[in-house]
Amino acid sequence: MNDEFEFTESSPSTFDIKAFLYKTLSYWKLFILCIGIGLFIVYQQNIRTQQSYKLGTQISVEDDKNPLFTSNTSLTFNWGGVSGKVKTIITTLQSRSHHEKVVNNLQFYITYLKQARFRKDDIYKAAPFTFTLLPNTSQVLDVPVRILVLDDTTFEIGLDFEKSVVSTQNYSSKEKSTVDVSVGPFKQRFEFGDPIVLPFLNGTVHFKKDRKMIAGTDYFIQFQNYDAVVAKYKSKLWVNNPDNSSILNLEMTDVNTGKIEDYLNETVRVLSEDQLNRKNQFVTNTIKFIDEQLDRVKSQLALNADSLNSYRQNNKIFNLDEESLQINEKLSKYEIDKDNTNRQLAYYSNLKIYLETSNSFTDLPAPSIAGVDDANILGNVSKLNALSVQKSKYESTVRSDAAIFGDINRQMEGLKAVLLENISSATNGLRREMAFINSKIAATNSKIRKLPQDQQNMLNIERQYALSEQTYNVFLAKRGEADIIKSASVSDILVIDPAKDTGAQPIDLKLSSRYVFAVIGGFLPPLLLAFLITFFDTKLHSPQNLEQISRIPLLGVIGKSQLDNNLAVHLKPKSTIAESFRSIRSSLQYMYKDKGKDGTKTILVTSSVSGEGKTFCSINLATVFALSGKKTVLVGLDLRKPKIFGDFNLNNDLGVVNYLIGQNTLDDIIVDSEVENLDVITSGPIPPNPSELLIGDAMDNFISELKNRYDYVILDTPPVALVADALELLEYVDASMYVVRQDYTKKGMLNFINDKYKKRELSNISFLYNYYDQKGKYGYGFGYGYGTYGYGAYGNGYHENHTVKSSLFERVKGFFK
């Protein structure tokens, strides 16, 4: 098959890059508008938004041991939680309870503001006063409280209530409530330092001595929801653990560098304090226990001393003989041993009950305070306390159903079982030792009974006093050891770099950068609009579009007519449109000459649908042949929707239909036009059967008579996409002109004619590209036809320009179009 018919038309949906680019360029006004809007929006944001800053601090999680805690220390303590503390501390830093402490300490639920041009800036410590809350009182939430400085001693409180009910919060109990107020402004004067007691505001404004108050200056304080403030700062704190090391980097972003600095440093201080308190929990419990015992023994010691002194004075006995002293010393030693043994037995008994009934073991005192020196018991109590401390930490930071709690509980249960066995074994040994001590005491008592009664009583009172004194001295010594160890304890949190503002730069985009993004953002809407229009556009916008989707040759390009009448060539013979039709005439004559066609030439003009300029092209093509001296006839064969009569100011009562049905002769229906050498035959009345009339024998005779009389016969036919009449007339013509219109004809409409051409059902058919605008919908021209190259001033004298003076409204409308 010939290559001409192997052509496959381009899909109408193929994206046209060149059309997209020209469409984009045609929206230059929209680009300017969108960019201007973007710059305006960014400018408004810049003047209304306070810049954000970022500061950080760096800490190290150490495993610091107490330098005074050695194997020789008589008190045994375990500091607990020293292994794997980094993850626990990260979790603690991200916990709500931790941030509640920090917010409470810093009172960050109170914000100090100063009115700028377009916003209220957070000035924090730059405010020349502080607001001290009255304990257990409520403050209004989320309503700016205006502080207007009147002079060095007086200020005015101002609030503007928009609702009759406002929310308040008690920052002592954290309870929220509502208060009824009067809608509108509220004002009242106070002196610095005087308490403010109102239903919605309670506190004292204190003037900072190192600041200067300027009369007429106003500030604002605003109270925020406590839980919301905690949640805000909790989300702002960023914790990073580089390379899973012991180093933690803490960072925070806020609009006030002073707030960031204080919050980070207070966060580290609270963390360090909590870690130290947990670390000292065991020794603190032990000191508490020792203090309770010292109070008890001290009372008993004073009572025994009083009894001894009273007995000596009443019985006049102040000294014992040598034998009595020796016996008393032995008995006192046995009594002390018995007391120590009883103390150990009591500790084991309490420890056993504690293990069997309690789930938390952080309150265990050190075993050594009771004289327990069993290595197994000392070690296991220490391990049990460490696990309990670790569990206590996790309970405040980790979910209750976490797997780690199961592991800790299993370890604690194992230690409890071992401790209970150790306690049973140690108790049995102490009971045997107690029996031995009791036997020695009994033997010594038998010797004492041989002494005089007054000496026996004296010895008994002295033994009780010596026993109380010895016990008191033991507890007092252990209390001193505990204090020394506690005072030597240090936190595991080491501050490497505290938070400090050393000239922090805003982390937001610089103002100039924001404007760059505004320009980029202004480009996007027109680009997207151009893309969507181009992507979904199926119409022809240039001769190139036509050549891309069809192999049918393009015979000529006709410009956009500004006339109200279709007689463009006749009325404006020197216009570019007239030259376009002359160019088409020349092309047709060349085609006829090339094919050796002599005699009458018959030309059919059709299109896809109505409105593409078929009749316009028919009239002007006939006119241009007539102006060349050729006898030409224009025949209106669009029997369903006749048009040509109106442009020639003719009557359509008589025409082709009358001839075809045998009513009139050819001479009856031919009408002379105002154009020399051009006759017109209108279609006539609309028949009920136009298709049948066009395929009858009468049509053969009609065309034959026209060929005998005229050099050129121009047939104006119906659109082929709507009816098949034009196809029935192809057998009578030498050439067919298929009219398409710029920005009107859809590409899909050409599928029908392309298919016919590909199957060789049509021949000698060409396209006429009508309504061509060099700027066009996409703003590009290609120079088809004479006078369409855009020669500008070089065309003066050759072409007539049709200019119509536009109104101001039309010119403005055209600018934005």
Side-chain angles (χ1 to χ4, degrees):
M1 185 178 287
N2 194 304
D3 290 344
E4 179 182 356
F5 299 103
E6 292 177 358
F7 170 78
T8 300
E9 290 80 6
S10 302
S11 172
S13 62
T14 301
F15 187 75
D16 191 339
I17 299 296
K18 184 179 290 186
F20 167 68
L21 294 176
Y22 279 106
K23 186 70 176 177
T24 301
L25 292 175
S26 71
Y27 285 163
W28 65 270
K29 300 182 188 74
L30 186 59
F31 277 107
I32 294 175
L33 179 63
C34 291
I35 291 172
I37 292 174
L39 293 175
F40 177 77
I41 292 174
V42 169
Y43 172 74
Q44 294 299 320
Q45 289 178 341
N46 286 342
I47 63 178
R48 285 173 169 80
T49 304
Q50 197 169 354
Q51 294 273 359
S52 296
Y53 301 86
K54 180 187 286 185
L55 296 180
T57 183
Q58 190 175 67
I59 62 174
S60 175
V61 182
E62 304 295 330
D63 190 4
D64 287 329
K65 296 291 185 180
N66 194 315
L68 300 182
F69 173 58
T70 65
S71 59
N72 296 325
T73 308
S74 61
L75 287 177
T76 303
F77 297 113
N78 178 276
W79 303 105
V82 295
S83 59
K85 285 195 292 284
V86 174
K87 290 184 178 179
T88 303
I89 288 178
I90 292 175
T91 308
T92 301
L93 288 169
Q94 296 171 339
S95 68
R96 177 185 53 80
S97 58
H98 175 81
H99 288 275
E100 285 181 348
K101 294 178 183 178
V102 179
V103 170
N104 271 332
N105 294 347
L106 296 174
Q107 292 189 334
F108 269 13
Y109 40 76
I110 305 176
T111 306
Y112 296 88
L113 305 168
K114 185 174 176 61
Q115 182 66 52
R117 183 182 177 188
F118 294 102
R119 62 175 184 261
K120 290 183 176 68
D121 288 341
D122 186 349
I123 57 174
Y124 189 39
K125 290 182 177 179
F129 61 88
T130 59
F131 188 89
T132 304
L133 302 178
L134 294 180
N136 203 31
T137 57
S138 297
Q139 318 298 331
V140 64
L141 293 178
D142 301 323
V143 177
V145 180
R146 183 168 177 256
I147 308 290
L148 175 61
V149 179
L150 301 177
D151 52 46
D152 291 342
T153 60
T154 312
F155 65 93
E156 183 182 80
I157 291 286
L159 296 94
D160 190 7
F161 295 113
E162 298 179 355
K163 299 179 180 178
S164 60
V165 178
V166 295
S167 299
T168 62
Q169 186 165 26
N170 185 325
Y171 290 110
S172 299
S173 62
K174 307 301 182 289
E175 294 180 356
K176 288 186 285 186
S177 59
T178 57
V179 175
D180 294 331
V181 295
S182 298
V183 177
F186 170 87
K187 294 181 180 179
Q188 189 169 340
R189 293 188 176 187
F190 297 90
E191 291 188 358
F192 289 104
D194 287 349
I196 301 171
V197 181
L198 297 170
F200 47 82
L201 185 65
N202 298 272
T204 306
V205 177
H206 293 284
F207 174 66
K208 294 180 179 178
K209 295 181 179 179
D210 58 338
R211 301 295 173 85
K212 183 179 180 180
M213 297 292 274
I214 301 175
T217 307
D218 57 352
Y219 301 89
F220 294 87
I221 56 174
Q222 185 166 332
F223 300 93
Q224 297 173 292
N225 184 294
Y226 174 77
D227 293 329
V229 174
V230 171
K232 180 180 75 171
Y233 282 99
K234 178 177 179 290
S235 64
K236 284 186 175 183
L237 182 65
W238 183 75
V239 183
N240 179 36
N241 177 217
D243 302 323
N244 293 321
S245 63
S246 62
I247 302 298
L248 292 180
N249 295 318
L250 281 63
E251 291 184 348
M252 178 172 283
T253 301
D254 198 72
V255 297
N256 190 289
T257 56
K259 272 193 170 182
I260 306 174
E261 183 178 328
D262 287 354
Y263 198 92
L264 288 175
N265 290 332
E266 183 65 15
T267 291
V268 174
R269 193 196 67 77
V270 170
L271 176 68
S272 179
E273 182 180 293
D274 287 347
Q275 291 297 312
L276 186 58
N277 289 339
R278 288 187 180 131
K279 189 174 184 180
N280 286 333
Q281 188 171 7
F282 196 17
V283 66
T284 301
N285 294 337
T286 300
I287 291 174
K288 179 182 177 182
F289 178 80
I290 292 175
D291 288 340
E292 292 173 355
Q293 299 304 313
L294 282 172
D295 289 340
R296 180 184 61 81
V297 175
K298 185 178 180 180
S299 299
Q300 187 177 357
L301 180 61
L303 181 62
N304 291 335
D306 292 341
S307 298
L308 179 59
N309 292 330
S310 177
Y311 187 83
R312 284 177 173 174
Q313 291 175 0
N314 294 335
N315 295 279
K316 308 299 181 181
I317 299 176
F318 298 99
N319 294 312
L320 297 174
D321 57 27
E322 187 67 27
E323 182 182 3
S324 297
L325 289 173
Q326 291 179 356
I327 294 173
N328 187 50
E329 287 179 0
K330 288 183 179 180
L331 190 57
S332 295
K333 179 179 179 301
Y334 294 145
E335 290 286 353
I336 291 172
D337 291 342
K338 181 179 179 180
D339 185 69
N340 289 336
T341 304
N342 280 328
R343 191 162 60 249
Q344 292 183 51
L345 286 171
Y347 178 83
Y348 284 141
S349 177
N350 291 332
L351 180 60
K352 181 179 179 182
I353 295 172
Y354 194 79
L355 292 173
E356 292 175 343
T357 60
S358 179
N359 293 321
S360 174
F361 307 101
T362 55
D363 294 332
L364 279 174
S368 57
I369 64 173
V372 175
D373 56 1
D374 188 307
N376 291 328
I377 293 178
L378 291 175
N380 289 331
V381 167
S382 178
K383 292 177 182 178
L384 187 61
N385 182 267
L387 288 173
S388 184
V389 170
Q390 186 178 6
K391 182 180 178 181
S392 177
K393 290 179 182 178
Y394 287 139
E395 284 174 345
S396 63
T397 57
V398 181
R399 288 172 47 187
S400 59
D401 58 349
I404 191 170
F405 288 115
D407 182 55
I408 292 176
N409 288 334
R410 284 191 295 272
Q411 294 182 55
M412 292 174 70
E413 288 299 322
L415 286 172
K416 281 168 61 177
V418 174
L419 269 173
L420 289 173
E421 291 181 4
N422 293 338
I423 291 170
S424 178
S425 175
T427 301
N428 292 332
L430 288 173
R431 286 173 180 165
R432 289 192 296 270
E433 185 177 348
M434 179 63 75
F436 175 76
I437 293 172
N438 286 334
S439 66
K440 291 292 185 180
I441 291 174
T444 306
N445 281 332
S446 64
K447 295 180 180 180
I448 291 177
R449 284 193 291 270
K450 296 178 181 180
L451 297 174
Q453 187 63 42
D454 56 351
Q455 291 191 15
Q456 290 184 35
N457 294 336
M458 181 71 173
L459 287 174
N460 185 44
I461 294 173
E462 284 190 342
R463 283 200 313 274
Q464 295 298 326
Y465 175 79
L467 182 62
S468 298
E469 185 181 32
Q470 178 69 22
T471 303
Y472 183 82
N473 291 335
V474 169
F475 279 122
L476 196 60
K478 293 184 182 295
R479 178 65 165 82
E481 287 185 25
D483 282 337
I484 293 172
I485 293 174
K486 183 177 181 180
S487 63
S489 179
V490 293
S491 173
D492 292 333
I493 306 300
L494 174 64
V495 180
I496 299 175
D497 261 336
K500 185 178 181 181
D501 180 11
T502 57
Q505 297 296 318
I507 63 170
D508 301 328
L509 286 174
K510 294 182 178 178
L511 298 184
S512 57
S513 301
R514 290 185 177 185
Y515 288 121
V516 170
F517 279 96
V519 172
I520 295 173
F523 269 98
L524 293 180
L527 281 176
L528 180 61
L529 179 63
F531 173 80
L532 293 176
I533 290 177
T534 306
F535 184 80
F536 291 105
D537 188 15
T538 59
K539 295 180 180 179
L540 294 173
H541 299 293
S542 71
Q544 267 69 14
N545 287 159
L546 182 62
E547 292 177 337
Q548 288 171 0
I549 63 174
S550 179
R551 269 295 192 186
I552 298 175
L554 176 60
L555 190 65
V557 178
I558 303 159
K560 181 178 179 181
S561 174
Q562 302 291 343
L563 298 178
D564 296 331
N565 192 288
N566 283 331
L567 298 174
V569 173
H570 174 63
L571 298 176
K572 295 287 183 177
K574 295 179 65 177
S575 66
T576 55
I577 292 178
E579 293 302 326
S580 297
F581 279 104
R582 291 187 180 97
S583 176
I584 294 170
R585 180 186 65 188
S586 299
S587 297
L588 284 170
Q589 290 174 340
Y590 176 80
M591 182 182 69
Y592 288 138
K593 183 178 180 181
D594 184 60
K595 292 185 178 182
K597 174 65 178 175
D598 295 325
T600 301
K601 286 82 173 177
T602 308
I603 302 171
L604 179 146
V605 182
T606 187
S607 64
S608 300
V609 292
S610 178
E612 292 175 303
K614 168 180 59 64
T615 301
F616 170 77
C617 291
S618 300
I619 292 173
N620 288 285
L621 189 61
T623 301
V624 80
F625 276 116
L627 292 176
S628 67
K630 302 295 182 180
K631 191 168 179 60
T632 308
V633 62
L634 174 62
V635 183
L637 289 182
D638 190 350
L639 306 184
R640 304 169 191 268
K641 194 175 179 181
K643 285 185 179 181
I644 62 172
F645 64 91
D647 294 296
F648 290 95
N649 297 319
L650 301 177
N651 194 314
N652 194 40
D653 295 338
L654 193 66
V656 176
V657 173
N658 301 93
Y659 178 89
L660 294 178
I661 62 176
Q663 255 185 7
N664 297 90
T665 64
L666 182 62
D667 292 328
D668 296 334
I669 62 176
I670 294 175
V671 181
D672 293 335
S673 71
E674 56 188 276
V675 181
E676 187 179 357
N677 297 321
L678 176 62
D679 292 339
V680 178
I681 302 177
T682 62
S683 59
I686 299 176
N689 56 343
S691 296
E692 287 72 15
L693 289 178
L694 295 176
I695 62 175
D697 293 336
M699 189 65 190
D700 295 336
N701 296 331
F702 178 66
I703 296 297
S704 178
E705 286 192 55
L706 291 177
K707 289 183 176 182
N708 291 331
R709 295 191 183 194
Y710 295 98
D711 297 320
Y712 285 92
V713 179
I714 311 299
L715 305 180
D716 179 33
T717 64
V720 296
L722 302 180
V723 293
D725 296 357
L727 298 178
E728 304 293 345
L729 299 173
L730 290 176
E731 61 178 296
Y732 301 113
V733 302
D734 307 311
S736 300
M737 301 290 103
Y738 198 95
V739 179
V740 296
R741 178 176 171 178
Q742 179 171 302
D743 302 334
Y744 186 88
T745 303
K746 294 184 178 180
K747 298 175 183 178
M749 294 178 178
L750 303 182
N751 291 339
F752 174 76
I753 199 69
N754 282 335
D755 184 62
K756 293 288 185 182
Y757 185 75
K758 182 178 180 180
K759 294 178 180 178
R760 289 188 167 183
E761 295 179 13
L762 298 175
S763 60
N764 297 330
I765 186 170
S766 302
F767 279 124
L768 292 182
Y769 190 89
N770 185 35
Y771 216 69
Y772 172 71
D773 185 0
Q774 187 168 352
K775 294 182 179 179
K777 189 173 183 180
Y778 287 147
Y780 54 94
F782 297 90
Y784 277 81
Y786 186 83
T788 61
Y789 293 90
Y791 287 140
Y794 294 101
N796 293 340
Y798 290 92
H799 300 152
E800 281 185 75
N801 295 322
H802 179 76
T803 58
V804 178
K805 188 174 182 180
S806 302
S807 65
L808 177 63
F809 174 76
E810 290 174 337
R811 289 198 297 270
V812 173
K813 182 179 177 182
F815 177 82
F816 287 102
K817 186 176 179 181

